[in-house]
Amino acid sequence: LKRKSKTTLPTTNIWSILEDRRGDMWFGHFNGLSKLNPDGVAFTNYINDPNDPKSIPRGLIRVLFEDSQNRFWVGTHNAGLLLWDRDTGTHIQYEYNPKNKSGIGANTITAINEDRQGRLWIGTWGGGLNLFDPETGTFKHYFKGHGLPSSVISGIIPDNAGNLWLSTKNGISFFNS
């Protein structure tokens, strides 16, 4: 696992920021993932190492999310969804495979959120809205053909009634989950 500590981030192109329940600040960027160290100055950077298949996938980190079970999710551009282990710097990767009908709908993850029932919803670029079952590692898909205005989901916000509000490439959608 290629892991470096630096006094600066490896890029100024930051796409996502998350303060987790532990109080750690995380930054997703074009080069990977970075955590601000407790000194408040230096960063621990998780960057792809082509010689290490266990390192973080190469490319842009678009979205970070911590669910109610304290699981840390990383949405990437072209490398799918990662379940990130903050203690070891390792991950489980869920990648799109057209032969796997219960796999994730696309490799570009644009949004992650959780509803009141604790269900994890994943927005994708072209793969629709995906409901993830972490127990089985499977996804249920909702596309334009299911009534969504687009299969490109930009944002997901659950409301107090248990519904989802989606921003899409073709407007806003109310989704009764």
Side-chain angles (χ1 to χ4, degrees), residues 158-169:
D159 68 16
N160 290 332
N163 303 300
L164 300 176
W165 289 88
L166 309 172
S167 57
T168 77
K169 190 176 177 185

Side-chain angles (χ1 to χ4, degrees), residues 23-89:
D24 292 327
M25 292 296 297
W26 293 87
F27 302 87
H29 46 77
F30 187 76
N31 300 83
L33 185 63
S34 297
K35 180 178 90 167
L36 182 62
N37 292 339
D39 65 10
V41 177
F43 291 86
T44 300
N45 297 305
Y46 300 90
I47 308 296
N48 177 262
D49 178 351
N51 298 316
D52 182 0
K54 292 182 181 179
S55 71
I56 195 165
R58 181 185 165 141
L60 171 68
I61 303 297
R62 296 181 68 95
V63 62
L64 302 172
F65 184 77
E66 183 179 29
D67 70 17
S68 61
Q69 304 298 312
N70 295 319
R71 293 176 294 210
F72 190 89
W73 299 96
V74 177
T76 72
H77 182 85
N78 289 330
L81 178 68
L82 309 178
L83 175 55
W84 185 257
D85 186 321
R86 289 170 278 197
D87 297 322
T88 65

